[in-house]
Amino acid sequence: MGTVVDTAKKEANGSSLSEKKITVVFVLGGPGSGKGTQCEHIVQHFGYTHLSAGDLLRAEIKSGSENGAMIQNMIKDGKIVPSEVTIKLLQRAMQESSNDKFLIDGFPRNEENRSAFESVTGIEPEFVLFFDCPEEEMERRLLSRNQGREDDNIDTIRKRFKVYMESSLPVIEYYNSKGKVRKIDAGKPVEEVFEAVKAVFSKDA
């Protein structure tokens, strides 16, 4: 794994990433907490670029690259894609963008992701936008959205909640201890949630 980290570090240090002042906001919240919808609004209102770790991994798989084949095999085997691989994709997306403000959605998923991101990129998030939503509400939304996603059945949903709680909460607690968490009550209607989001970005950004 060392080589991937070294390459990623080299790319971070010798590239435009270290030359431009990057602002990163991590967007965290359970499945169905409304992260994607709110990210779209933030992009429109505040000029951020939205980077979804999951979308980047899926795009890499689709590209047919060697890296994509490796990612696909890992996911198929039920393994977690190494942090450095996801970070490299995020870095590349940031380098290729003309923007310097990024929403990173669905990452870091756990403490290891978090520390790897900071050590590889040298970037700490400006703040963490945490969509706090009751489990029953997330469950209701996931079951009703019916996007044809095979992971939207009740058993799988509950497993996803459990994984999310166990792995993501330590990340939220870590940033909370540094005063960087902006908690949003995501159980309300979309418009009300965005009013709260707007208040955070107007104050912090």
Side-chain angles (χ1 to χ4, degrees):
M1 278 320 307
T3 51
V4 184
V5 183
D6 295 342
T7 319
K9 272 190 177 151
K10 231 172 273 164
E11 283 177 14
N13 298 336
S15 75
S16 55
L17 254 197
S18 49
E19 285 151 28
K20 55 182 181 180
K21 167 76 181 87
I22 296 276
T23 300
V24 165
V25 173
F26 286 147
V27 182
L28 298 176
S33 59
K35 296 191 303 290
T37 305
Q38 295 300 328
C39 282
E40 282 171 32
H41 290 321
I42 296 164
V43 166
Q44 285 164 10
H45 280 76
F46 296 101
Y48 276 72
T49 293
H50 177 206
L51 299 177
S52 155
D55 287 352
L56 289 172
L57 288 168
R58 283 187 283 274
E60 190 67 19
I61 291 169
K62 262 199 189 136
S63 75
S65 71
E66 207 176 306
N67 205 22
M70 181 269 289
I71 293 167
Q72 188 168 28
N73 289 333
M74 293 201 76
I75 292 171
K76 210 162 49 191
D77 293 343
K79 292 178 183 157
I80 289 173
V81 177
S83 297
E84 287 77 16
V85 172
T86 309
I87 291 164
K88 218 172 156 195
L89 294 175
L90 287 165
Q91 268 184 316
R92 192 169 72 195
M94 289 192 276
Q95 282 160 357
E96 288 169 0
S97 170
S98 55
N99 204 346
D100 57 2
K101 300 192 300 186
F102 298 94
L103 296 172
I104 296 184
D105 165 16
F107 187 93
R109 280 178 180 268
N110 53 37
E111 264 295 285
E112 195 263 331
N113 278 175
R114 179 199 65 72
S115 61
F117 181 87
E118 289 189 10
S119 67
V120 169
T121 64
I123 297 169
E124 271 198 43
E126 200 71 12
F127 58 91
V128 175
L129 198 59
F130 170 41
F131 289 103
D132 189 24
C133 192
E135 203 167 299
E136 310 74 63
E137 176 59 19
M138 292 194 283
E139 201 172 281
R140 191 188 64 72
R141 289 176 186 177
L142 290 172
L143 290 170
S144 65
R145 74 181 180 185
N146 192 18
Q147 291 178 334
R149 278 178 59 164
E150 60 199 37
D151 54 358
D152 283 353
N153 66 64
I154 195 78
D155 291 338
T156 315
I157 285 169
R158 287 188 175 148
K159 270 188 206 132
R160 285 167 69 202
F161 285 153
K162 188 170 181 290
V163 168
Y164 161 71
M165 293 300 283
E166 286 169 0
S167 52
S168 295
L169 282 182
V171 176
I172 292 158
E173 280 161 12
Y174 171 83
Y175 284 121
N176 203 24
S177 72
K178 301 187 107 186
K180 285 185 178 248
V181 172
R182 308 291 177 264
K183 189 164 152 183
I184 303 286
D185 177 356
K188 295 177 176 171
V190 173
E191 297 73 22
E192 282 181 48
V193 174
F194 188 54
E195 284 307 312
V197 168
K198 271 202 294 206
V200 167
F201 277 85
S202 305
K203 190 164 78 65
D204 282 273

